[in-house]
Amino acid sequence: MAENAPLQPKSVLRGHKAQVHAAAFIRRNERLVTGDADGFVVVWDLTIMRPRAVWRAHTNAILGISGWGDDSIITHGRDNRLVVWKLGAQDEQAMSTRLPLDPSPETRPQPWLLHLLEVNTMNFCAFSSCPPVTSGEQGPELLIAVPNTLASEAIDIFHLPSQRRLQTVKLGDKNGMVMALSLFYRSSNLVLVAAYENGLVTVGQLDSADTWEVTYRAETHSQPILSLDVSRDKDYFFTSSADAIIVKHPIPLASEQQHQRRAPEKPTQGASLLSEALASQPNPEQPTNAHSTGMTMQTEPLKAVNTKHSGQQSLKIRSDSRIFATAGWDSKIRVYSAKTMKEVAVLQWHQVGCYTVAFSSLDDETGDQSTAGSEPSRTQADIPTSTAVTAVPKLVELSVRDKRIKQAKTAHWLAAGSKDGKVSLWDVF
């Protein structure tokens, strides 16, 4: 290949009939889940680049997808539903593998539905999920943040598995709709980042008195914000917009002195920290202004860059926080240095606009890539059909499968979904 030849994807996954709107790597990078504008979800096995499960999760476009543990998938659709599906490796055997492009006379079976939330999807804003600091004695818990059903500037926080709405948070007025958000813990502090239609971003922190304090507020974009993502250490985040600007923002927290002045109540015996932190369900009217609590609210971003390429969305930071990528309306996937914010690569294969990108996690890139725990993913498709198989070929076949699994887990995958219904897989950096 010529030295200046354009980079090519390692693989292209074809099967969606409509544009691909969401993508996420799950199960230690062995699976890629993609969702399209018709509401279909495809779970791709990256060891063989084939579908393992296909179903219609929503009756309208899918806004967001993520995994929850090894056996649950969360999908958020424009049909005003957020659904948690049970789909472990063993559950895939009962699923259809017929892709949306293929005509199917029968209805594709759905996975077991664990939880269903009726939510607002008029904002085109995907959900954000946040595991608790500690899971406690009552099993796994999760916080879900979505735009409020009635007030387009407010944000609802739900709790799973109880499906209760714990809070409605409003971090500002007259900013237009919430366009992107992120909910997470930094140390023991619950933090909410929200981006709005008018180009404003805010950072709110839940204090020990169950009051939301705005610690950062900046209007750095002239157009609606399309996406945001938070760094691994939760100390900064990037935003992209319909304009050509990409901005790096700080995530300031209330001073340690302020927390020392507020004595938190002693947790109830046996209750998880998550449940304790949100049990009181405070009045969600206006957040506390940082100035009123002795803080200095920050208003200056860390850095802003004019990329000269408008319409970059689905901004994602890789798990090592070294690079981030965007999906461009101009069909290009752009990769930037997280430190310098300089463009380091332009990946072009699709001929029409791209809507989503996803990085595989590098946290699973360890020396021990034992496949002992991956046995449930072995299905009938992996078993040789010949009955005259001796012991030696079996060992060789297993070795080949082990290599495929290791490749899927350790590749530096960058997936991009496009208006053409295809998903390109790149192995970069």
Side-chain angles (χ1 to χ4, degrees):
M1 183 181 292
E3 185 175 342
N4 296 326
L7 295 172
Q8 295 294 312
K10 290 290 184 181
S11 184
V12 176
L13 305 177
R14 297 172 170 87
H16 283 285
K17 189 176 181 180
Q19 53 262 45
V20 179
H21 281 178
F25 289 87
I26 63 170
R27 295 192 215 149
R28 293 167 293 279
N29 306 328
E30 284 192 45
R31 299 288 189 269
L32 173 67
V33 188
T34 54
D36 66 28
D38 288 338
F40 278 98
V41 172
V42 180
V43 179
W44 303 91
D45 185 341
L46 296 184
T47 65
I48 57 175
M49 299 300 173
R50 294 289 187 271
R52 288 294 194 187
V54 181
W55 78 98
R56 193 174 190 188
H58 298 271
T59 58
N60 208 326
I62 289 178
L63 295 174
I65 289 177
S66 76
W68 184 13
D70 282 342
D71 61 356
S72 297
I73 294 174
I74 306 173
T75 63
H76 184 194
R78 289 212 66 221
D79 55 359
N80 300 307
R81 303 196 325 158
L82 185 144
V83 186
V84 181
W85 309 91
K86 182 183 182 298
L87 190 72
Q90 67 278 7
D91 302 311
E92 292 176 352
Q93 299 181 31
M95 299 297 296
S96 171
T97 57
R98 189 179 294 274
L99 290 161
L101 267 178
D102 301 328
S104 177
E106 69 278 356
T107 301
R108 297 172 179 84
Q110 291 186 335
W112 187 262
L113 193 153
L114 295 176
H115 306 290
L116 171 63
L117 297 177
E118 299 289 342
V119 297
N120 170 31
T121 53
M122 295 300 293
N123 295 36
F124 296 91
C125 175
F127 76 100
S128 177
S129 61
C130 171
V133 174
T134 176
S135 61
E137 298 292 333
Q138 300 175 356
E141 297 176 284
L142 199 67
L143 290 180
I144 299 285
V146 291
N148 177 258
T149 303
L150 299 178
S152 62
E153 294 187 347
I155 298 159
D156 287 334
I157 298 178
F158 290 89
H159 172 264
L160 292 177
S162 71
Q163 301 185 188
R164 291 188 302 120
R165 182 171 65 179
L166 299 177
Q167 291 197 346
T168 299
V169 185
K170 197 172 183 182
L171 298 179
D173 270 330
K174 300 179 180 178
N175 301 317
M177 296 189 298
V178 177
M179 300 296 292
L181 51 83
S182 182
L183 182 72
F184 56 91
Y185 276 98
R186 179 176 167 189
S187 300
S188 59
N189 301 286
L190 186 62
V191 180
L192 176 64
V193 179
Y196 297 90
E197 191 178 8
N198 68 346
L200 177 82
V201 292
T202 59
V203 176
Q205 174 188 341
L206 184 66
D207 66 14
S208 57
D210 286 327
T211 302
W212 286 92
E213 300 179 16
V214 177
T215 62
Y216 174 75
R217 177 186 176 95
E219 190 170 343
T220 54
H221 294 280
S222 60
Q223 298 290 327
I225 293 175
L226 299 177
S227 60
L228 68 85
D229 200 18
V230 176
S231 67
R232 176 186 58 188
D233 294 332
K234 310 295 190 291
D235 52 351
Y236 67 86
F237 66 99
F238 291 107
T239 55
S240 67
S241 167
D243 60 25
I245 309 297
I246 292 179
V247 184
K248 186 177 186 178
H249 307 268
I251 303 178
L253 298 183
S255 65
E256 294 297 327
Q257 292 179 350
Q258 179 179 339
H259 283 292
Q260 291 173 2
R261 289 198 300 269
R262 300 181 181 214
E265 297 180 1
K266 186 177 180 180
T268 303
Q269 183 69 27
S272 73
L273 181 60
L274 174 63
S275 299
E276 189 66 26
L278 295 175
S280 61
Q281 302 184 46
N283 189 327
E285 292 303 315
Q286 289 296 334
T288 302
N289 192 307
H291 295 286
S292 66
T293 60
M295 285 186 58
T296 301
M297 182 174 64
Q298 295 191 31
T299 58
E300 294 296 326
L302 299 174
K303 190 173 184 179
V305 174
N306 187 346
T307 66
K308 304 187 186 306
H309 305 291
S310 60
Q312 297 184 67
Q313 67 181 57
S314 187
L315 187 153
K316 296 291 173 57
I317 306 173
R318 197 168 67 178
S319 60
D320 61 358
S321 293
R322 294 183 60 187
I323 58 175
F324 66 93
T326 61
W329 293 349
D330 61 358
S331 79
K332 298 179 177 64
I333 303 107
R334 290 183 169 83
V335 183
Y336 298 87
S337 163
K339 182 177 181 180
T340 65
M341 296 180 66
K342 292 182 178 178
E343 186 181 276
V344 295
V346 178
L347 309 177
Q348 184 174 15
W349 181 84
H350 301 277
Q351 301 301 310
V352 290
C354 293
Y355 294 146
T356 184
V357 293
F359 278 112
S360 61
S361 173
L362 304 188
D363 298 336
D364 300 300
E365 196 174 320
T366 63
D368 179 16
Q369 292 292 345
S370 170
T371 59
S374 61
E375 186 176 354
S377 65
R378 182 183 174 97
T379 64
Q380 189 172 1
D382 297 306
I383 302 173
T385 55
S386 172
T387 56
V389 181
T390 63
V392 174
K394 283 184 179 179
L395 292 175
V396 172
E397 181 68 22
L398 184 60
S399 176
V400 170
R401 179 173 174 272
D402 287 346
K403 290 179 181 178
R404 294 201 308 262
I405 293 173
K406 183 175 182 180
Q407 166 66 18
K409 286 185 174 181
T410 60
H412 292 191
W413 292 125
L414 170 58
S418 170
K419 186 178 179 180
D420 58 16
K422 301 178 180 66
V423 179
S424 56
L425 272 175
W426 309 78
D427 187 359
V428 296
F429 307 104

